[in-house]
Amino acid sequence: MIANKKRLLIGLILVLALVMSMFAGCSRDADKATATPTVEPSESPDVTKEPEETQEPAESKSPEPKDDPKTSEIKIPDLSIEAFDIPDTDSQAFVNNMKLGWNLGNTFDAHDCTWLSNKLDYEKGWSGIKTTEKMIQAVKDAGFNTVRIPVSWHNHVSGDDHTIDQAWLDRVQEVVDYAIDNGLYAIINIHHDMGEDFIYPSSQYMDQSSHYVRRIWTQLAERFKDYDEHLIFESLNEPRMVGSKYEWWLDSNDESCKDAVASINKLNQIFVDTVRASGANNKSRYLMVPGYAASVAGALDKGFELPKDRVEDRLILSIHAYTPYNFALEAGGVSSFDINKSSSVREIDQFMTQLHEKFVSQAVPVVIGEFGARNKKNNLQDRVDFSAYYVASARARGMTCLWWDNHAFTGDGELFGILDRSKSSWKYPEIVEAMLKYAD
């Protein structure tokens, strides 16, 4: 009996030891899972790639963003950036009044949603949700002054003259009205229609591309000609040689790149001439035009030229800059941003100063129509610091910024969402607060 008790006692001790070792193993694995590796910054490309398209079936529900318990600890940085000399022109005052903007991304720009039978459902094909006026009111109430409404048209046109489906155009107009009725500036454009089938900036495809641009803008100009200056037209979104090795990198010494830049100049001119010829308020409407891929490199390229306009002081340069690329857009890259470190702010300072010198100081206002920083493992404080520094630096040089919001919050993709559209509430109000603090 005593021997049996001893064996039982020894067995219990062995089982207890085994259980303790299992818990110790879980603890080490948890530590490994939460460790943040140090990643060296990567070189930024000459032309910043646009955020990837988030494609979801239309019937999928909007993601439910989870609250971050650490948000109460987030601080908005105090910054003091010396103001540059800004010309006193009507167009510059107009851009100043645009203040700060928000993109209705992954919405009307969704395209080639082959799983959808109703083309009107493209609006929610990527984002999973249709736009409501309550969403736009939330943007206005937060303090934004501008909404950019990117639109892709090629899935909604018919015939050789690219006649736009009236139901699609009506719906676009309805959402434009949401913005205008709430006292916001609204921007519409030709978005994901780049490619050899529709718009491709080269001499080889110029006849086809110019016809497409002329036909789309003829119809849009007619539909919106009586809207006041709160509606802004943007010619093209990131025009580039899609699929080529130069899609996101402009080599000013390469003949195909030179040809692409010259072709974009021609397409921008066609856009301006088409809009102005439509009359009414389009005769003096503010118009935005980009260089190659809407990049800084494209605008600074020696071959880029602003179109000639029959009215003075009504053109705005359109720029997209997810800078620094390794923090703002690159998968992996770096997740930290320190306003006191040159490695974080140097590229922002550099490109904004270049744009100020070549354009703003020469009475050509600049709107950064897309910028932002994707969520990288809940690096909210870094994104807040980035947003504050970016907007403060831009406003010091007379430029207005628009955050790219693709309504993406979860997963491993490009998480630029800040407005939870299902609730019309801000998932990251600290980012909004940081931008607004320096937008005035």
Side-chain angles (χ1 to χ4, degrees), residues 271-287:
F271 158 70
V272 170
D273 292 345
T274 300
V275 172
R276 295 295 183 232
S278 63
N281 289 338
N282 289 335
K283 291 187 296 184
S284 59
R285 186 174 307 285
Y286 283 97
L287 306 178

mmCIF file of all heavy atoms in Angstrom, residues 271-287:
data_model
loop_
_atom_site.group_PDB
_atom_site.id
_atom_site.type_symbol
_atom_site.label_atom_id
_atom_site.label_comp_id
_atom_site.label_asym_id
_atom_site.label_seq_id
_atom_site.Cartn_x
_atom_site.Cartn_y
_atom_site.Cartn_z
ATOM 1 N N PHE A 271 -8.169 67.804 -72.670
ATOM 2 C CA PHE A 271 -9.081 67.934 -71.530
ATOM 3 C C PHE A 271 -9.469 69.390 -71.308
ATOM 4 O O PHE A 271 -10.667 69.722 -71.211
ATOM 5 C CB PHE A 271 -8.396 67.358 -70.289
ATOM 6 C CG PHE A 271 -8.915 67.844 -68.980
ATOM 7 C CD1 PHE A 271 -10.176 67.467 -68.522
ATOM 8 C CD2 PHE A 271 -8.143 68.676 -68.165
ATOM 9 C CE1 PHE A 271 -10.656 67.908 -67.288
ATOM 10 C CE2 PHE A 271 -8.607 69.111 -66.939
ATOM 11 C CZ PHE A 271 -9.862 68.738 -66.505
ATOM 12 N N VAL A 272 -8.497 70.274 -71.243
ATOM 13 C CA VAL A 272 -8.776 71.692 -70.990
ATOM 14 C C VAL A 272 -9.628 72.272 -72.117
ATOM 15 O O VAL A 272 -10.641 72.959 -71.866
ATOM 16 C CB VAL A 272 -7.463 72.484 -70.822
ATOM 17 C CG1 VAL A 272 -7.740 73.985 -70.797
ATOM 18 C CG2 VAL A 272 -6.753 72.065 -69.543
ATOM 19 N N ASP A 273 -9.244 72.013 -73.356
ATOM 20 C CA ASP A 273 -9.984 72.571 -74.488
ATOM 21 C C ASP A 273 -11.424 72.059 -74.522
ATOM 22 O O ASP A 273 -12.361 72.817 -74.824
ATOM 23 C CB ASP A 273 -9.282 72.201 -75.797
ATOM 24 C CG ASP A 273 -7.937 72.890 -75.955
ATOM 25 O OD1 ASP A 273 -7.669 73.861 -75.220
ATOM 26 O OD2 ASP A 273 -7.144 72.440 -76.810
ATOM 27 N N THR A 274 -11.616 70.785 -74.211
ATOM 28 C CA THR A 274 -12.960 70.189 -74.236
ATOM 29 C C THR A 274 -13.856 70.804 -73.174
ATOM 30 O O THR A 274 -15.018 71.157 -73.449
ATOM 31 C CB THR A 274 -12.864 68.664 -74.028
ATOM 32 O OG1 THR A 274 -12.077 68.087 -75.064
ATOM 33 C CG2 THR A 274 -14.246 68.032 -74.025
ATOM 34 N N VAL A 275 -13.329 70.946 -71.964
ATOM 35 C CA VAL A 275 -14.119 71.523 -70.874
ATOM 36 C C VAL A 275 -14.451 72.977 -71.161
ATOM 37 O O VAL A 275 -15.612 73.407 -71.024
ATOM 38 C CB VAL A 275 -13.371 71.392 -69.536
ATOM 39 C CG1 VAL A 275 -14.099 72.167 -68.434
ATOM 40 C CG2 VAL A 275 -13.237 69.932 -69.137
ATOM 41 N N ARG A 276 -13.479 73.752 -71.575
ATOM 42 C CA ARG A 276 -13.723 75.184 -71.826
ATOM 43 C C ARG A 276 -14.750 75.392 -72.946
ATOM 44 O O ARG A 276 -15.577 76.307 -72.887
ATOM 45 C CB ARG A 276 -12.408 75.880 -72.183
ATOM 46 C CG ARG A 276 -11.388 75.904 -71.068
ATOM 47 C CD ARG A 276 -11.846 76.723 -69.884
ATOM 48 N NE ARG A 276 -10.814 76.793 -68.844
ATOM 49 C CZ ARG A 276 -11.009 76.507 -67.574
ATOM 50 N NH1 ARG A 276 -12.222 76.136 -67.156
ATOM 51 N NH2 ARG A 276 -10.039 76.595 -66.691
ATOM 52 N N ALA A 277 -14.709 74.541 -73.970
ATOM 53 C CA ALA A 277 -15.612 74.706 -75.105
ATOM 54 C C ALA A 277 -17.067 74.423 -74.753
ATOM 55 O O ALA A 277 -17.982 74.814 -75.494
ATOM 56 C CB ALA A 277 -15.169 73.794 -76.251
ATOM 57 N N SER A 278 -17.302 73.765 -73.624
ATOM 58 C CA SER A 278 -18.677 73.399 -73.246
ATOM 59 C C SER A 278 -19.464 74.569 -72.667
ATOM 60 O O SER A 278 -20.681 74.475 -72.490
ATOM 61 C CB SER A 278 -18.656 72.249 -72.240
ATOM 62 O OG SER A 278 -18.022 72.639 -71.039
ATOM 63 N N GLY A 279 -18.800 75.655 -72.346
ATOM 64 C CA GLY A 279 -19.482 76.871 -71.929
ATOM 65 C C GLY A 279 -19.995 76.845 -70.501
ATOM 66 O O GLY A 279 -19.563 76.036 -69.674
ATOM 67 N N ALA A 280 -20.952 77.760 -70.236
ATOM 68 C CA ALA A 280 -21.524 77.941 -68.892
ATOM 69 C C ALA A 280 -20.392 78.127 -67.871
ATOM 70 O O ALA A 280 -19.406 78.802 -68.159
ATOM 71 C CB ALA A 280 -22.437 76.780 -68.533
ATOM 72 N N ASN A 281 -20.515 77.494 -66.691
ATOM 73 C CA ASN A 281 -19.492 77.687 -65.662
ATOM 74 C C ASN A 281 -18.181 76.967 -65.968
ATOM 75 O O ASN A 281 -17.166 77.204 -65.306
ATOM 76 C CB ASN A 281 -20.033 77.226 -64.305
ATOM 77 C CG ASN A 281 -21.094 78.153 -63.747
ATOM 78 O OD1 ASN A 281 -21.163 79.330 -64.129
ATOM 79 N ND2 ASN A 281 -21.945 77.640 -62.882
ATOM 80 N N ASN A 282 -18.205 76.095 -66.972
ATOM 81 C CA ASN A 282 -16.976 75.405 -67.346
ATOM 82 C C ASN A 282 -15.971 76.326 -68.022
ATOM 83 O O ASN A 282 -14.789 75.976 -68.143
ATOM 84 C CB ASN A 282 -17.295 74.243 -68.289
ATOM 85 C CG ASN A 282 -17.991 73.101 -67.569
ATOM 86 O OD1 ASN A 282 -17.850 72.930 -66.359
ATOM 87 N ND2 ASN A 282 -18.763 72.313 -68.323
ATOM 88 N N LYS A 283 -16.432 77.480 -68.456
ATOM 89 C CA LYS A 283 -15.511 78.424 -69.087
ATOM 90 C C LYS A 283 -14.444 78.908 -68.123
ATOM 91 O O LYS A 283 -13.347 79.287 -68.541
ATOM 92 C CB LYS A 283 -16.294 79.628 -69.641
ATOM 93 C CG LYS A 283 -17.181 79.295 -70.824
ATOM 94 C CD LYS A 283 -17.791 80.547 -71.441
ATOM 95 C CE LYS A 283 -18.730 81.263 -70.474
ATOM 96 N NZ LYS A 283 -19.383 82.438 -71.132
ATOM 97 N N SER A 284 -14.760 78.877 -66.825
ATOM 98 C CA SER A 284 -13.790 79.366 -65.831
ATOM 99 C C SER A 284 -13.603 78.403 -64.667
ATOM 100 O O SER A 284 -13.061 78.776 -63.631
ATOM 101 C CB SER A 284 -14.247 80.730 -65.295
ATOM 102 O OG SER A 284 -15.534 80.631 -64.684
ATOM 103 N N ARG A 285 -14.031 77.160 -64.826
ATOM 104 C CA ARG A 285 -13.909 76.185 -63.745
ATOM 105 C C ARG A 285 -12.441 75.895 -63.449
ATOM 106 O O ARG A 285 -11.595 75.873 -64.354
ATOM 107 C CB ARG A 285 -14.624 74.884 -64.129
ATOM 108 C CG ARG A 285 -14.680 73.861 -62.992
ATOM 109 C CD ARG A 285 -15.522 72.649 -63.365
ATOM 110 N NE ARG A 285 -16.850 73.011 -63.839
ATOM 111 C CZ ARG A 285 -17.853 73.417 -63.058
ATOM 112 N NH1 ARG A 285 -17.647 73.521 -61.750
ATOM 113 N NH2 ARG A 285 -19.029 73.728 -63.569
ATOM 114 N N TYR A 286 -12.134 75.627 -62.168
ATOM 115 C CA TYR A 286 -10.774 75.204 -61.811
ATOM 116 C C TYR A 286 -10.555 73.770 -62.281
ATOM 117 O O TYR A 286 -11.395 72.885 -62.058
ATOM 118 C CB TYR A 286 -10.553 75.308 -60.303
ATOM 119 C CG TYR A 286 -10.320 76.733 -59.859
ATOM 120 C CD1 TYR A 286 -11.368 77.510 -59.355
ATOM 121 C CD2 TYR A 286 -9.056 77.310 -59.950
ATOM 122 C CE1 TYR A 286 -11.165 78.826 -58.956
ATOM 123 C CE2 TYR A 286 -8.839 78.627 -59.557
ATOM 124 C CZ TYR A 286 -9.889 79.377 -59.060
ATOM 125 O OH TYR A 286 -9.678 80.679 -58.676
ATOM 126 N N LEU A 287 -9.417 73.556 -62.924
ATOM 127 C CA LEU A 287 -9.079 72.257 -63.503
ATOM 128 C C LEU A 287 -7.739 71.769 -62.965
ATOM 129 O O LEU A 287 -6.785 72.548 -62.844
ATOM 130 C CB LEU A 287 -9.003 72.360 -65.030
ATOM 131 C CG LEU A 287 -10.234 72.936 -65.747
ATOM 132 C CD1 LEU A 287 -9.972 73.027 -67.250
ATOM 133 C CD2 LEU A 287 -11.473 72.092 -65.468
#
